[in-house]
Amino acid sequence: MTSPHRDSTEGREGHAGVSLAAKPIPSRDIAAWPKRNDAAAELGCSKSTVRRLEQRGVLEAERDAEGTTRIRPESLRRARAELAAMASHASADRTLAQSRASAPNPEAPTPSSLTNATSAASREAEIFAALSAGRSPIQVVIELGVSSADVAGALRAWEQLMAPWEPPASAVAAHVDALTSFARDLQAFAVSLDARVSRLEAVLLRGVPEGDAPT
């Protein structure tokens, strides 16, 4: 006769004595483990982040007898270190991006209104305003805190803008074509009008006696 203990053991085991359960029941009381909300509060992150850490295997989760997900306390230390490393990397990336976007010069007496101007268009406008006020290129570099290359590029653009403006060759050619077309249309209209006047004169002459015809 098979003992009840042997039947229950066989019901929980598969071939070669391998357990069919997804994860073995821990020896300690799982009800004392923190829930997802508790783990999120302890780690200082959102509940969705806790789920992602579970999917990545950083956090180990089990279900208690009531079906509530519990987080293994030992895995919280690993998750805390993982989050700290992620925050450090994100901070380093932000610092690198900010340093590439703008490199302020703390020694230059830059006006506060120009401190956040980092785009090339803004720098060029500031340089043009300084040149219009009579500042020399060296004064522009000192007062605005821009590089000499920025000033040199702005000066080249300044010279092009201050030079006499001439329309591009394509615009000139299009204008000449339009004038030529208008002249041809005007000439054709004059020829047509002359022909109509001639026909009208002929009609008038046929209706007037020969002695009364104008000479």
Side-chain angles (χ1 to χ4, degrees):
M1 178 176 181
T2 305
S3 64
H5 176 71
R6 179 175 178 82
D7 292 341
S8 61
T9 302
E10 291 178 354
R12 287 184 285 108
E13 294 181 350
H15 299 289
V18 178
S19 175
L20 297 178
K23 293 183 180 179
I25 299 176
S27 58
R28 60 180 297 181
D29 185 14
I30 193 174
W33 292 6
K35 300 179 182 179
R36 282 197 178 110
N37 291 335
D38 300 330
E42 184 172 348
L43 295 174
C45 63
S46 63
K47 192 173 180 179
S48 60
T49 301
V50 172
R51 292 180 182 274
R52 287 195 295 270
L53 291 174
E54 292 177 27
Q55 295 173 357
R56 293 172 52 189
V58 178
L59 286 175
E60 300 178 18
E62 301 282 353
R63 291 186 181 275
D64 59 15
E66 298 179 355
T68 303
T69 300
R70 301 278 182 169
I71 306 299
R72 185 182 294 273
E74 291 80 0
S75 65
L76 289 175
R77 291 192 297 270
R78 184 167 60 248
R80 191 176 294 107
E82 180 76 9
L83 291 176
M86 293 170 57
S88 178
H89 292 162
S91 177
D93 292 342
R94 286 194 299 269
T95 302
L96 180 60
Q98 292 173 358
S99 63
R100 288 178 176 176
S102 63
N105 184 4
E107 298 179 357
T110 306
S112 58
S113 60
L114 304 178
T115 301
N116 297 325
T118 57
S119 66
S122 297
R123 287 197 300 269
E124 190 174 69
E126 295 157 12
I127 294 171
F128 281 0
L131 293 175
S132 299
R135 300 291 192 274
S136 67
I138 295 178
Q139 288 176 320
V140 172
V141 172
I142 296 174
E143 294 179 6
L144 299 184
V146 295
S147 66
S148 59
D150 291 334
V151 176
L155 285 173
R156 288 193 297 269
W158 175 278
E159 292 174 357
Q160 294 177 359
L161 292 174
M162 294 298 291
W165 182 84
E166 295 182 359
S170 58
V172 174
H175 185 65
V176 171
D177 291 343
L179 289 177
T180 303
S181 177
F182 175 75
R184 286 197 300 265
D185 294 341
L186 184 61
Q187 184 178 8
F189 177 77
V191 172
S192 175
L193 182 61
D194 185 65
R196 292 175 59 186
V197 170
S198 298
R199 289 195 299 271
L200 183 58
E201 290 179 348
V203 171
L204 291 176
L205 288 174
R206 287 197 299 268
V208 177
E210 185 176 352
D212 297 336
T215 58

